[in-house]
Amino acid sequence: MRLDSMERLIASSDFMAFRELVVAYLRSRGYTDFANTDGWRDGGSDLSLYLKLPSRAPVAVQVTVDRDWAGKLREDAAKVKSRHAEASLLLFFTPRRIPEPDFEDVAEEIQ
């Protein structure tokens, strides 16, 4: 499959289909023990998961198809920080193409 065709397919996916793609990707990278935490009281994390390492460090995962990805990321990162202090990492997934400088600016602000 051509990369540009795959990009269009991913960008056109609805939230539920995109979240399934994210879960499949995370499993392929060695993440296990998923718990779906998505909802109106999710604390900024759509999925809760653990690394396959002895430390089993908690990781928050944010999945969004929102156009305002930066606002959503800022909002959910603040929730994760205040409600899930034990989370050692926040992974962010969106089907949108985000210019790297734009993402870096938001990531630096959040850190």
Side-chain angles (χ1 to χ4, degrees):
M1 181 180 280
R2 293 181 38 178
L3 183 58
D4 56 337
S5 297
M6 188 172 295
E7 287 175 355
R8 281 193 303 276
L9 181 63
I10 290 171
S12 68
S13 63
D14 63 36
F15 176 75
M16 299 302 284
F18 183 64
R19 185 170 64 180
E20 290 301 314
L21 285 171
V22 169
V23 168
Y25 169 77
L26 292 170
R27 282 196 177 118
S28 77
R29 304 304 301 163
Y31 290 94
T32 60
D33 298 336
F34 289 88
N36 182 357
T37 60
D38 190 23
W40 65 278
R41 294 181 57 117
D42 65 8
S45 178
D46 289 331
L47 297 169
S48 208
L49 55 91
Y50 294 86
L51 292 173
K52 216 171 24 175
L53 305 173
S55 67
R56 297 179 57 82
V59 176
V61 178
Q62 178 56 46
V63 181
T64 187
V65 296
D66 291 358
R67 287 195 185 276
D68 181 19
W69 64 269
K72 179 74 169 154
L73 181 55
R74 285 184 190 103
E75 178 185 323
D76 286 340
K79 289 179 189 176
V80 168
K81 185 176 181 180
S82 69
R83 298 179 188 169
H84 304 287
E86 72 283 0
S88 60
L89 182 65
L90 171 62
L91 300 177
F92 176 68
F93 293 89
T94 182
R96 304 186 180 286
R97 291 185 64 126
I98 301 172
E100 194 167 341
D102 294 348
F103 181 78
E104 287 176 352
D105 289 346
V106 174
E108 284 180 25
E109 178 186 325
I110 289 170
Q111 286 181 338

Coordinates of all heavy atoms in Angstrom, one line a residue, residues 15-99:
F15 N -13.4 8.0 15.4 CA -12.7 7.8 16.6 C -12.5 6.4 17.0 O -11.4 6.0 17.4 CB -13.3 8.6 17.8 CG -12.7 8.4 19.1 CD1 -11.5 9.0 19.3 CD2 -13.2 7.6 20.0 CE1 -10.8 8.8 20.5 CE2 -12.5 7.3 21.2 CZ -11.3 8.0 21.5
M16 N -13.6 5.6 17.0 CA -13.5 4.2 17.4 C -12.5 3.4 16.5 O -11.7 2.6 17.1 CB -14.9 3.6 17.4 CG -15.9 4.2 18.3 SD -15.3 4.3 20.0 CE -15.6 2.6 20.5
A17 N -12.6 3.6 15.2 CA -11.6 2.9 14.3 C -10.2 3.3 14.6 O -9.3 2.5 14.6 CB -12.0 3.1 12.9
F18 N -10.0 4.6 14.8 CA -8.6 5.1 15.0 C -8.1 4.6 16.3 O -6.9 4.2 16.4 CB -8.6 6.6 15.0 CG -7.2 7.2 15.2 CD1 -6.2 7.0 14.2 CD2 -6.9 7.9 16.3 CE1 -5.0 7.4 14.4 CE2 -5.6 8.4 16.5 CZ -4.6 8.2 15.5
R19 N -9.0 4.5 17.4 CA -8.5 4.0 18.7 C -8.1 2.5 18.5 O -7.1 2.1 19.1 CB -9.6 4.1 19.7 CG -9.1 3.7 21.1 CD -10.0 4.1 22.2 NE -11.3 3.3 22.0 CZ -12.3 3.4 22.8 NH1 -12.3 4.3 23.8 NH2 -13.4 2.8 22.6
E20 N -8.8 1.7 17.7 CA -8.4 0.3 17.5 C -7.1 0.3 16.8 O -6.3 -0.6 17.1 CB -9.5 -0.4 16.7 CG -10.8 -0.6 17.5 CD -10.5 -1.5 18.7 OE1 -9.8 -2.5 18.7 OE2 -11.1 -1.1 19.8
L21 N -6.8 1.2 15.9 CA -5.5 1.2 15.2 C -4.4 1.5 16.2 O -3.3 0.9 16.2 CB -5.5 2.3 14.1 CG -6.2 2.0 12.8 CD1 -6.3 3.2 11.9 CD2 -5.5 0.8 12.1
V22 N -4.7 2.4 17.1 CA -3.7 2.8 18.2 C -3.4 1.6 19.1 O -2.3 1.3 19.4 CB -4.2 4.0 19.0 CG1 -3.3 4.2 20.2 CG2 -4.2 5.3 18.1
V23 N -4.5 0.9 19.5 CA -4.3 -0.3 20.4 C -3.5 -1.3 19.6 O -2.5 -1.9 20.2 CB -5.7 -0.8 20.8 CG1 -5.5 -2.2 21.4 CG2 -6.3 0.1 21.8
A24 N -3.7 -1.6 18.4 CA -3.0 -2.6 17.6 C -1.5 -2.1 17.5 O -0.6 -3.0 17.7 CB -3.6 -2.7 16.2
Y25 N -1.3 -0.9 17.3 CA 0.1 -0.4 17.2 C 0.8 -0.5 18.6 O 1.9 -1.0 18.6 CB 0.1 1.1 16.8 CG 1.5 1.7 17.0 CD1 2.5 1.5 16.1 CD2 1.8 2.5 18.1 CE1 3.8 2.0 16.3 CE2 3.0 3.1 18.3 CZ 4.0 2.8 17.4 OH 5.3 3.3 17.6
L26 N 0.2 -0.2 19.7 CA 0.8 -0.3 21.0 C 1.1 -1.7 21.3 O 2.1 -2.0 21.9 CB -0.1 0.3 22.0 CG -0.3 1.9 22.0 CD1 -1.3 2.4 22.9 CD2 1.1 2.5 22.3
R27 N 0.2 -2.6 21.0 CA 0.5 -4.1 21.2 C 1.7 -4.5 20.4 O 2.5 -5.3 20.9 CB -0.8 -4.9 20.8 CG -1.8 -4.9 21.9 CD -2.8 -6.0 21.7 NE -3.8 -5.9 22.8 CZ -5.1 -5.7 22.6 NH1 -5.6 -5.6 21.4 NH2 -5.9 -5.6 23.7
S28 N 1.8 -4.0 19.2 CA 3.0 -4.4 18.4 C 4.3 -3.9 18.9 O 5.3 -4.4 18.6 CB 2.8 -3.9 16.9 OG 3.0 -2.5 16.8
R29 N 4.2 -2.8 19.8 CA 5.4 -2.2 20.4 C 5.6 -2.8 21.8 O 6.5 -2.3 22.5 CB 5.2 -0.7 20.5 CG 5.0 0.0 19.1 CD 6.0 -0.3 18.1 NE 7.3 0.1 18.5 CZ 8.4 -0.3 18.0 NH1 8.4 -1.1 16.9 NH2 9.6 0.2 18.4
G30 N 4.9 -3.8 22.2 CA 5.1 -4.4 23.5 C 4.3 -4.0 24.7 O 4.6 -4.4 25.8
Y31 N 3.4 -3.1 24.5 CA 2.5 -2.6 25.6 C 1.4 -3.7 25.8 O 0.9 -4.2 24.9 CB 1.9 -1.3 25.3 CG 2.9 -0.1 25.3 CD1 3.5 0.3 24.1 CD2 3.2 0.5 26.5 CE1 4.4 1.3 24.1 CE2 4.1 1.5 26.5 CZ 4.7 2.0 25.3 OH 5.6 3.0 25.3
T32 N 1.1 -3.9 27.1 CA 0.1 -4.9 27.4 C -0.8 -4.3 28.5 O -0.7 -3.2 29.0 CB 0.7 -6.2 27.9 OG1 1.5 -5.8 29.1 CG2 1.6 -6.8 26.9
D33 N -1.8 -5.2 29.0 CA -2.6 -4.8 30.1 C -3.4 -3.5 29.9 O -3.4 -2.6 30.7 CB -1.8 -4.7 31.4 CG -1.1 -6.0 31.8 OD1 -1.6 -7.1 31.4 OD2 -0.2 -6.0 32.5
F34 N -4.2 -3.5 28.8 CA -4.9 -2.3 28.5 C -6.2 -2.2 29.4 O -6.8 -3.2 29.7 CB -5.4 -2.4 27.0 CG -4.3 -2.1 26.1 CD1 -3.6 -3.2 25.6 CD2 -4.1 -0.9 25.6 CE1 -2.6 -3.0 24.7 CE2 -3.0 -0.6 24.7 CZ -2.3 -1.7 24.2
A35 N -6.5 -1.0 29.7 CA -7.8 -0.8 30.4 C -8.4 0.5 29.7 O -7.7 1.5 29.6 CB -7.6 -0.5 31.8
N36 N -9.6 0.4 29.1 CA -10.2 1.5 28.5 C -10.7 2.5 29.6 O -11.5 2.1 30.4 CB -11.4 1.0 27.6 CG -12.0 2.2 26.9 OD1 -11.7 3.3 27.0 ND2 -13.0 1.8 26.1
T37 N -10.2 3.7 29.6 CA -10.5 4.6 30.6 C -11.2 5.8 30.0 O -11.4 6.9 30.6 CB -9.3 5.1 31.4 OG1 -8.4 5.7 30.5 CG2 -8.7 4.0 32.1
D38 N -11.6 5.7 28.7 CA -12.2 6.8 28.0 C -13.6 7.1 28.5 O -14.4 6.3 28.8 CB -12.3 6.5 26.5 CG -12.7 7.7 25.6 OD1 -12.5 8.8 26.1 OD2 -13.2 7.4 24.5
G39 N -13.9 8.4 28.7 CA -15.2 8.8 29.2 C -15.1 10.2 29.7 O -14.1 10.8 29.8
W40 N -16.3 10.7 30.2 CA -16.3 12.0 30.7 C -15.6 12.3 32.0 O -15.3 13.4 32.4 CB -17.8 12.5 30.8 CG -18.6 11.8 31.8 CD1 -19.2 10.6 31.7 CD2 -18.9 12.2 33.2 NE1 -19.8 10.2 32.8 CE2 -19.6 11.2 33.8 CE3 -18.5 13.3 33.9 CZ2 -20.1 11.3 35.1 CZ3 -19.0 13.4 35.2 CH2 -19.8 12.4 35.8
R41 N -15.2 11.2 32.7 CA -14.4 11.4 33.9 C -13.1 10.6 33.8 O -12.6 10.0 34.7 CB -15.2 10.9 35.1 CG -16.4 11.7 35.4 CD -17.1 11.2 36.6 NE -16.2 11.2 37.8 CZ -16.3 11.9 38.9 NH1 -17.3 12.6 39.0 NH2 -15.5 11.8 39.9
D42 N -12.5 10.6 32.6 CA -11.3 9.8 32.3 C -10.0 10.4 32.9 O -9.0 9.8 32.8 CB -11.2 9.5 30.8 CG -10.9 10.7 30.0 OD1 -10.7 11.8 30.5 OD2 -11.0 10.5 28.7
G43 N -10.0 11.6 33.3 CA -8.8 12.2 33.9 C -7.8 12.5 32.8 O -6.6 12.7 33.1
G44 N -8.2 12.6 31.6 CA -7.3 12.9 30.5 C -6.6 11.8 29.8 O -5.8 11.9 29.0
S45 N -7.0 10.6 30.2 CA -6.4 9.4 29.6 C -7.4 8.5 29.0 O -8.4 8.2 29.6 CB -5.7 8.6 30.7 OG -5.1 7.4 30.2
D46 N -7.3 8.2 27.7 CA -8.2 7.4 27.0 C -8.0 5.9 27.2 O -8.9 5.1 27.2 CB -8.2 7.6 25.5 CG -8.8 9.0 25.1 OD1 -9.6 9.5 25.9 OD2 -8.3 9.6 24.1
L47 N -6.7 5.5 27.4 CA -6.4 4.2 27.7 C -5.3 4.2 28.8 O -4.5 5.0 28.9 CB -5.7 3.5 26.5 CG -6.5 3.3 25.2 CD1 -5.6 2.9 24.1 CD2 -7.6 2.3 25.4
S48 N -5.4 3.2 29.7 CA -4.4 3.0 30.7 C -3.7 1.8 30.4 O -4.3 0.8 30.1 CB -5.1 2.9 32.1 OG -4.3 3.4 33.1
L49 N -2.4 1.8 30.4 CA -1.7 0.6 30.1 C -0.4 0.5 30.8 O 0.0 1.5 31.5 CB -1.4 0.5 28.5 CG -0.7 1.7 27.9 CD1 0.8 1.5 27.8 CD2 -1.2 1.8 26.5
Y50 N 0.3 -0.6 30.7 CA 1.5 -0.8 31.5 C 2.6 -1.4 30.5 O 2.3 -2.1 29.6 CB 1.3 -1.8 32.6 CG 0.4 -1.2 33.7 CD1 -0.9 -1.3 33.6 CD2 1.0 -0.5 34.7 CE1 -1.8 -0.8 34.5 CE2 0.1 0.0 35.7 CZ -1.2 -0.1 35.6 OH -2.0 0.4 36.6
L51 N 3.8 -1.0 30.8 CA 4.9 -1.6 30.0 C 5.1 -3.0 30.3 O 4.7 -3.5 31.4 CB 6.2 -0.8 30.3 CG 6.3 0.6 29.8 CD1 7.5 1.3 30.3 CD2 6.2 0.7 28.3
K52 N 5.7 -3.8 29.4 CA 6.0 -5.2 29.7 C 7.3 -5.4 30.4 O 7.9 -6.4 30.4 CB 6.0 -5.9 28.3 CG 5.5 -7.2 28.3 CD 5.3 -7.9 27.0 CE 6.2 -7.5 25.8 NZ 6.0 -8.3 24.6
L53 N 7.7 -4.4 31.2 CA 8.9 -4.5 31.9 C 8.6 -4.8 33.4 O 7.5 -4.6 33.9 CB 9.6 -3.1 31.8 CG 9.9 -2.6 30.4 CD1 10.5 -1.2 30.5 CD2 10.9 -3.5 29.7
P54 N 9.6 -5.2 34.2 CA 9.4 -5.5 35.6 C 8.8 -4.3 36.4 O 8.1 -4.5 37.3 CB 10.8 -5.9 36.1 CG 11.5 -6.3 34.9 CD 11.0 -5.5 33.7
S55 N 9.2 -3.1 36.0 CA 8.7 -1.9 36.7 C 7.3 -1.6 36.5 O 6.6 -1.0 37.3 CB 9.6 -0.7 36.3 OG 9.3 -0.4 34.9
R56 N 6.7 -2.1 35.4 CA 5.3 -1.9 35.0 C 4.9 -0.4 35.3 O 3.8 -0.2 35.9 CB 4.4 -2.8 35.8 CG 4.7 -4.3 35.4 CD 3.8 -5.3 36.2 NE 2.4 -5.1 36.0 CZ 1.7 -5.5 35.0 NH1 2.3 -6.1 34.0 NH2 0.4 -5.3 35.0
A57 N 5.7 0.5 34.8 CA 5.4 1.9 35.0 C 4.1 2.3 34.2 O 3.9 2.0 33.0 CB 6.5 2.8 34.4
P58 N 3.1 3.0 34.9 CA 1.9 3.4 34.2 C 2.1 4.4 33.1 O 3.0 5.3 33.3 CB 1.0 3.9 35.3 CG 1.9 4.0 36.5 CD 3.2 3.3 36.3
V59 N 1.4 4.3 32.1 CA 1.5 5.2 30.9 C 0.0 5.7 30.6 O -0.9 4.9 30.6 CB 2.1 4.5 29.7 CG1 2.1 5.4 28.5 CG2 3.5 4.0 30.0
A60 N -0.1 7.0 30.4 CA -1.4 7.5 29.9 C -1.4 7.6 28.4 O -0.4 8.0 27.9 CB -1.7 8.9 30.6
V61 N -2.5 7.3 27.8 CA -2.6 7.4 26.3 C -3.7 8.3 26.0 O -4.9 8.1 26.4 CB -2.8 6.0 25.7 CG1 -2.9 6.1 24.2 CG2 -1.6 5.1 26.1
Q62 N -3.5 9.3 25.2 CA -4.5 10.2 24.7 C -4.7 10.0 23.2 O -3.7 10.1 22.5 CB -4.2 11.7 25.0 CG -5.2 12.7 24.5 CD -6.6 12.4 25.0 OE1 -6.7 12.2 26.2 NE2 -7.6 12.4 24.2
V63 N -5.9 9.7 22.8 CA -6.3 9.5 21.4 C -7.3 10.5 21.0 O -8.3 10.6 21.7 CB -6.8 8.1 21.2 CG1 -7.1 7.9 19.7 CG2 -5.8 7.0 21.7
T64 N -7.1 11.3 20.0 CA -8.1 12.3 19.6 C -8.1 12.5 18.1 O -7.1 12.4 17.4 CB -7.8 13.7 20.3 OG1 -8.9 14.6 20.0 CG2 -6.5 14.3 19.8
V65 N -9.3 12.7 17.6 CA -9.5 13.1 16.2 C -9.9 14.5 16.1 O -10.3 15.0 15.0 CB -10.5 12.1 15.5 CG1 -10.0 10.7 15.5 CG2 -11.9 12.2 16.2
D66 N -9.9 15.3 17.2 CA -10.4 16.7 17.3 C -9.5 17.5 16.4 O -8.3 17.3 16.3 CB -10.3 17.2 18.7 CG -11.3 16.7 19.6 OD1 -12.2 15.8 19.1 OD2 -11.3 17.0 20.8
R67 N -10.1 18.5 15.8 CA -9.3 19.5 15.0 C -8.4 20.3 15.9 O -7.3 20.6 15.5 CB -10.2 20.4 14.2 CG -10.9 19.8 13.1 CD -11.5 20.8 12.1 NE -12.3 20.1 11.1 CZ -11.8 19.7 10.0 NH1 -10.5 19.7 9.7 NH2 -12.5 19.1 9.0
D68 N -8.9 20.7 17.1 CA -8.0 21.5 18.0 C -7.2 20.5 18.8 O -7.4 20.4 20.0 CB -8.9 22.3 18.9 CG -8.1 23.2 19.9 OD1 -6.9 23.4 19.6 OD2 -8.7 23.6 20.9
W69 N -6.3 19.8 18.2 CA -5.4 18.8 18.9 C -4.6 19.5 20.0 O -4.4 18.9 21.0 CB -4.5 18.1 17.9 CG -3.5 19.0 17.2 CD1 -3.7 19.7 16.0 CD2 -2.2 19.4 17.7 NE1 -2.6 20.5 15.8 CE2 -1.7 20.3 16.8 CE3 -1.5 19.1 18.9 CZ2 -0.4 20.9 17.0 CZ3 -0.3 19.6 19.0 CH2 0.3 20.5 18.1
A70 N -4.1 20.7 19.7 CA -3.3 21.4 20.7 C -4.1 21.7 22.0 O -3.6 21.4 23.1 CB -2.7 22.6 20.2
G71 N -5.3 22.2 21.9 CA -6.1 22.5 23.0 C -6.4 21.2 23.8 O -6.4 21.2 25.0
K72 N -6.8 20.2 23.0 CA -7.1 18.9 23.6 C -5.9 18.3 24.4 O -6.1 17.8 25.5 CB -7.6 17.9 22.6 CG -8.0 16.6 23.0 CD -9.3 16.6 23.8 CE -9.8 15.1 24.0 NZ -10.6 15.0 25.2
L73 N -4.8 18.4 23.8 CA -3.6 17.9 24.4 C -3.2 18.6 25.7 O -2.9 18.0 26.7 CB -2.4 17.9 23.4 CG -1.1 17.3 23.9 CD1 -1.2 15.9 24.5 CD2 0.0 17.4 22.8
R74 N -3.3 19.9 25.6 CA -3.0 20.8 26.8 C -4.0 20.4 28.0 O -3.6 20.2 29.1 CB -3.1 22.3 26.5 CG -2.0 22.8 25.7 CD -2.2 24.3 25.5 NE -1.2 24.8 24.6 CZ -1.5 25.1 23.3 NH1 -2.7 25.0 22.8 NH2 -0.6 25.6 22.5
E75 N -5.3 20.4 27.6 CA -6.3 20.1 28.6 C -6.1 18.7 29.2 O -6.1 18.5 30.5 CB -7.7 20.1 27.9 CG -8.8 19.8 28.8 CD -10.1 19.8 28.0 OE1 -10.3 20.6 27.0 OE2 -11.0 18.9 28.3
D76 N -5.9 17.7 28.4 CA -5.7 16.3 28.9 C -4.4 16.1 29.7 O -4.4 15.3 30.6 CB -6.0 15.3 27.8 CG -7.4 15.2 27.4 OD1 -8.3 15.6 28.3 OD2 -7.7 14.7 26.4
A77 N -3.4 16.8 29.2 CA -2.1 16.7 29.9 C -2.2 17.2 31.3 O -1.7 16.7 32.3 CB -1.0 17.4 29.2
A78 N -2.9 18.3 31.5 CA -3.1 18.9 32.8 C -3.9 17.9 33.7 O -3.6 17.8 34.9 CB -3.9 20.2 32.7
K79 N -5.0 17.3 33.1 CA -5.8 16.3 33.9 C -4.9 15.1 34.3 O -5.0 14.7 35.4 CB -6.9 15.8 33.0 CG -8.0 16.8 32.8 CD -9.1 16.2 32.0 CE -10.1 17.2 31.5 NZ -11.1 16.6 30.6
V80 N -4.1 14.6 33.4 CA -3.2 13.5 33.7 C -2.3 13.9 34.9 O -2.1 13.1 35.8 CB -2.4 13.0 32.5 CG1 -1.3 12.0 32.9 CG2 -3.4 12.3 31.5
K81 N -1.7 15.0 34.8 CA -0.7 15.5 35.8 C -1.4 15.6 37.2 O -0.8 15.2 38.2 CB -0.1 16.8 35.4 CG 0.9 17.3 36.3 CD 1.6 18.6 35.8 CE 2.7 19.0 36.7 NZ 3.3 20.2 36.3
S82 N -2.6 16.1 37.2 CA -3.3 16.3 38.5 C -3.9 15.0 39.0 O -4.0 14.8 40.2 CB -4.3 17.4 38.4 OG -5.4 17.0 37.6
R83 N -4.4 14.1 38.1 CA -5.2 13.0 38.6 C -4.4 11.6 38.5 O -4.8 10.7 39.1 CB -6.4 12.8 37.8 CG -7.3 14.0 37.9 CD -8.6 13.9 37.1 NE -9.4 15.1 37.1 CZ -10.4 15.3 36.3 NH1 -10.7 14.4 35.4 NH2 -11.0 16.4 36.4
H84 N -3.3 11.6 37.8 CA -2.6 10.4 37.6 C -1.1 10.7 37.8 O -0.3 10.4 36.8 CB -2.8 9.7 36.2 CG -4.3 9.5 35.9 ND1 -5.0 8.5 36.5 CD2 -5.1 10.1 35.1 CE1 -6.2 8.5 36.1 NE2 -6.3 9.5 35.3
A85 N -0.7 11.2 38.9 CA 0.7 11.6 39.1 C 1.7 10.4 39.0 O 2.8 10.6 38.7 CB 0.8 12.1 40.5
E86 N 1.2 9.2 39.1 CA 2.1 8.0 39.0 C 2.4 7.7 37.5 O 3.3 6.9 37.2 CB 1.4 6.8 39.6 CG 0.3 6.2 38.9 CD -1.1 6.9 39.1 OE1 -1.1 8.0 39.7 OE2 -2.1 6.5 38.5
A87 N 1.7 8.3 36.6 CA 1.9 8.1 35.2 C 3.3 8.6 34.8 O 3.6 9.8 35.0 CB 0.8 8.6 34.3
S88 N 4.1 7.8 34.2 CA 5.5 8.3 33.9 C 5.6 8.8 32.4 O 6.6 9.4 32.1 CB 6.5 7.1 34.1 OG 6.1 6.0 33.2
L89 N 4.6 8.6 31.7 CA 4.6 8.9 30.2 C 3.2 9.2 29.7 O 2.3 8.5 30.1 CB 5.3 7.8 29.5 CG 5.5 7.9 28.0 CD1 6.5 9.0 27.7 CD2 6.0 6.6 27.4
L90 N 3.1 10.2 28.8 CA 1.8 10.5 28.2 C 2.1 10.3 26.7 O 2.9 11.0 26.1 CB 1.4 11.9 28.5 CG 0.2 12.4 27.6 CD1 -1.1 11.5 27.9 CD2 -0.1 13.9 27.9
L91 N 1.4 9.4 26.1 CA 1.5 9.2 24.6 C 0.3 9.8 24.0 O -0.8 9.7 24.4 CB 1.5 7.7 24.3 CG 2.7 6.9 24.9 CD1 2.5 5.4 24.6 CD2 4.0 7.3 24.4
F92 N 0.5 10.5 22.9 CA -0.5 11.2 22.2 C -0.6 10.8 20.7 O 0.3 10.7 20.0 CB -0.2 12.7 22.2 CG -1.2 13.6 21.4 CD1 -2.5 13.7 21.9 CD2 -0.8 14.2 20.3 CE1 -3.4 14.5 21.2 CE2 -1.7 15.0 19.6 CZ -3.0 15.2 20.0
F93 N -1.9 10.4 20.3 CA -2.1 9.9 19.0 C -3.2 10.7 18.3 O -4.3 10.9 19.0 CB -2.5 8.4 19.0 CG -1.4 7.5 19.4 CD1 -1.3 7.2 20.8 CD2 -0.6 6.9 18.5 CE1 -0.3 6.3 21.2 CE2 0.4 6.1 18.9 CZ 0.6 5.8 20.3
T94 N -3.0 11.1 17.1 CA -4.0 11.8 16.3 C -3.8 11.4 14.9 O -2.7 11.2 14.5 CB -3.9 13.4 16.5 OG1 -5.0 14.0 15.7 CG2 -2.6 13.9 16.0
P95 N -4.9 11.3 14.1 CA -4.8 11.0 12.7 C -4.4 12.1 11.8 O -4.1 12.0 10.7 CB -6.2 10.4 12.3 CG -7.1 11.2 13.2 CD -6.3 11.4 14.5
R96 N -4.2 13.3 12.5 CA -3.9 14.5 11.7 C -2.4 14.7 11.5 O -1.6 14.3 12.4 CB -4.4 15.7 12.4 CG -5.9 15.7 12.6 CD -6.5 16.9 13.2 NE -7.9 16.8 13.4 CZ -8.8 16.8 12.4 NH1 -8.4 16.9 11.1 NH2 -10.1 16.7 12.6
R97 N -2.0 15.2 10.4 CA -0.6 15.6 10.2 C -0.3 16.8 11.0 O -1.0 17.9 10.7 CB -0.3 15.7 8.8 CG -0.3 14.4 8.0 CD 0.1 14.6 6.6 NE 1.5 15.0 6.6 CZ 2.4 14.4 5.9 NH1 2.1 13.4 5.2 NH2 3.7 14.8 6.0
I98 N 0.6 16.8 11.9 CA 1.0 18.0 12.7 C 2.4 18.3 12.4 O 3.3 17.5 12.5 CB 0.8 17.7 14.2 CG1 -0.6 17.2 14.5 CG2 1.3 18.9 15.0 CD1 -0.7 16.7 16.0
P99 N 2.6 19.6 11.9 CA 4.0 20.0 11.7 C 4.8 19.9 13.0 O 4.4 20.2 14.1 CB 3.9 21.5 11.3 CG 2.5 21.6 10.8 CD 1.7 20.6 11.6

